[in-house]
Amino acid sequence: MKAAAEYIWIDGQKPTKKLRSKTKILDGPINGLSDIPMWAFDGSSTCQAGTANSDLILQPVFMVPDPTRGKPRTTTSCLRGGGNVLVLCEVLLPDFTPHESNTRAKLRIAAKRYSRHKPLFGIEQEYTLYDADGGRPFRWPKVSTAFPAPQGPYYCGIGSDEVYGRELIEAHTAACLKAGLAVAGTNAEVMPAQWEFQIGPLGPLEVADELWLARWLLYRLGENYGISAKLDPKPISGDWNGAGAHTNFSTRETRRSGGLKHIKEACERLGKFHLEHIKVYGADNDKRLTGRHETCDIKTFRYGIGDRGASIRIPAPVAKAGCGYFEDRRPAANVDPYEACRAILETVCGKGFKAED
Ligand code: ADP
Ligand code: MN
Ligand code: MN
Ligand code: MN
């Protein structure tokens, strides 16, 4: 019995890394990661190596059933039954050390170091749908004078005049669930053709792995609909909301009774390392963090209860309960979640975060 394994990895493009994948046909059944061999690829075509020394290694690290190939099955029956799988990989050098673009390897270490705090993350992935060629937002007209009416009715809207592309969003949610990803919800966003899904709450490595796979599924299913999803933090300049990846965070300390004190301490620390965090919170985030459109401007750090104009928002119900989580509103839609989660862990649970140059 043959099984298709889609090897998925993150490339070395700058300033924003992108997903790549290729298919390996394996002898099934596939029972676990140990049935998925390492593989190699041409790093010179992914901004990860020169032509003369181009072979890089794909190390399988996380696997889910593939909801895009063949009959959908449950997690267990798919893995036991030799079905097709999606395999997230780390990129290694030929000597099996992590490639410099491999930010997961660093988060792996940090997640272990701070595991006693039982950190949990929930990430809200905002994104914008575009026509297949990526030219303009899905169903938007060519000329700006004919752009949709100003923002107001679109957020969580209903009806063809208010929301664009729901069919893809529904297919994506179903695919995430079939793959066993911890998708927590979806909503139409403030700009038409803009949407959001949430992943989590999960541990640091898990949330970032699942977010990258959920992004892959969104792009892959978009092919079926002639729609391109994009993570541009400010798709349309002017009076239109940008797209973020609000990162919600809690630890054992913030979740238990009296946790609000720990949340405020965490916010104070995050303020001290604001600029270092911004360095890894996504390219072009300066176009989004303007102090308007539900953001705090990029040069200012502020936290507040129920404040969507702050860098960090403590949800009102959390303040009322006196414990829970907080929301870092700064990460852009195109953030690398391995980096954002590591930054938050190092600042809140460790000595503070310093971005590499
Ligand atoms: P909003 O749009 O109001 O900012 P959402 O409902 O879109 O809020 O997202 C809330 C996020 O908070 C979800 O991703 C959820 O997983 C996450 N979350 C909830 N509880 C916790 C927690 N204890 N720790 C970390 N994240 C959490
Ligand atoms: Mn949300
Ligand atoms: Mn949102
Ligand atoms: Mn939010």
Side-chain angles (χ1 to χ4, degrees):
M1 172 202 319
K2 296 286 183 186
E6 190 71 11
Y7 283 59
I8 299 171
W9 74 98
I10 298 152
D11 72 14
Q13 287 187 78
K14 288 184 178 155
T16 303
K17 302 191 225 55
K18 301 260 169 71
L19 285 160
R20 307 271 177 153
S21 72
K22 60 175 182 168
T23 311
K24 190 172 188 63
I25 303 299
L26 300 171
D27 289 322
I30 293 167
N31 291 305
L33 266 184
S34 56
D35 294 325
I36 312 286
M38 285 194 191
W39 204 11
F41 71 99
D42 166 16
S44 74
S45 300
T46 61
C47 310
Q48 283 163 307
T51 324
N53 207 350
S54 61
D55 287 339
L56 294 177
I57 308 293
L58 292 173
Q59 157 100 73
V61 290
F62 178 55
M63 178 175 77
V64 298
D66 181 353
T68 72
R69 281 188 172 124
K71 267 194 296 187
R73 309 176 203 204
T74 65
T75 309
T76 21
S77 72
C78 179
L79 298 182
R80 294 236 169 84
N84 307 309
V85 289
L86 304 179
V87 182
L88 186 70
C89 299
E90 280 191 29
V91 174
L92 307 181
L93 294 165
D95 67 1
F96 300 121
T97 57
H99 185 268
E100 60 151 1
S101 63
N102 180 351
T103 47
R104 186 184 190 275
K106 291 178 195 141
L107 178 61
R108 198 157 24 85
I109 294 162
K112 206 167 185 182
R113 187 180 302 141
Y114 303 117
S115 61
R116 68 181 179 284
H117 295 289
K118 306 247 180 308
L120 286 177
F121 289 88
I123 302 183
E124 304 166 53
Q125 176 69 70
E126 293 178 342
Y127 58 96
T128 309
L129 303 182
Y130 279 71
D131 290 339
D133 63 7
R136 58 178 180 279
F138 183 59
R139 284 184 51 198
W140 280 49
K142 279 202 180 87
V143 285
S144 60
T145 48
F147 274 5
Q151 296 186 156
Y154 310 114
Y155 170 74
C156 297
I158 176 74
S160 291
D161 54 338
E162 292 186 355
V163 299
Y164 304 172
R166 192 190 295 273
E167 239 187 329
L168 168 57
I169 277 68
E170 291 299 319
H172 177 248
T173 307
C176 287
L177 291 172
K178 278 173 198 152
L181 303 180
V183 59
T186 67
N187 60 269
E189 268 303 338
V190 175
M191 189 181 95
Q194 205 172 53
W195 292 84
E196 168 180 318
F197 64 83
Q198 303 105 31
I199 296 277
L202 290 170
L205 213 48
E206 291 76 18
V207 81
D209 283 351
E210 293 205 10
L211 181 58
W212 276 113
L213 282 185
R215 285 173 175 177
W216 187 90
L217 279 170
L218 182 62
Y219 301 136
R220 170 65 192 82
L221 292 172
E223 293 174 6
N224 298 356
Y225 292 84
I227 297 176
S228 299
K230 283 179 181 260
L231 307 184
D232 185 343
K234 192 73 181 183
I236 304 286
S237 59
D239 207 6
W240 298 97
N241 269 34
H246 299 164
T247 301
N248 301 272
F249 179 67
S250 66
T251 60
R252 191 167 59 172
E253 293 77 22
T254 70
R255 287 189 296 268
R256 68 185 171 206
S257 164
L260 194 57
K261 181 172 83 83
H262 293 274
I263 291 178
K264 288 184 174 158
E265 279 169 18
C267 291
E268 293 291 337
R269 290 185 59 74
L270 285 160
K272 291 204 175 82
F273 295 92
H274 174 66
L275 290 177
E276 294 301 313
H277 279 245
I278 288 294
K279 285 181 193 167
V280 298
Y281 276 5
D284 295 325
N285 208 6
D286 53 318
K287 300 193 176 72
R288 164 180 167 261
L289 296 180
T290 57
R292 300 186 59 218
H293 306 111
E294 303 181 49
T295 70
C296 189
D297 85 90
I298 197 163
K299 295 208 175 76
T300 308
F301 178 90
R302 198 171 85 230
Y303 66 93
I305 294 162
D307 184 358
R308 284 173 203 271
S311 320
I312 309 274
R313 167 178 148 261
I314 301 169
V318 171
K320 191 148 182 283
C323 59
Y325 67 100
F326 61 84
E327 175 192 47
D328 190 341
R329 300 177 61 81
R330 297 170 295 171
N334 59 357
V335 72
D336 174 355
Y338 295 129
E339 297 221 273
C341 291
R342 185 164 64 91
I344 292 171
L345 279 179
E346 293 290 0
T347 295
V348 176
C349 302
K351 291 204 175 102
F353 177 70
K354 172 101 178 64
E356 277 126 49
D357 296 318

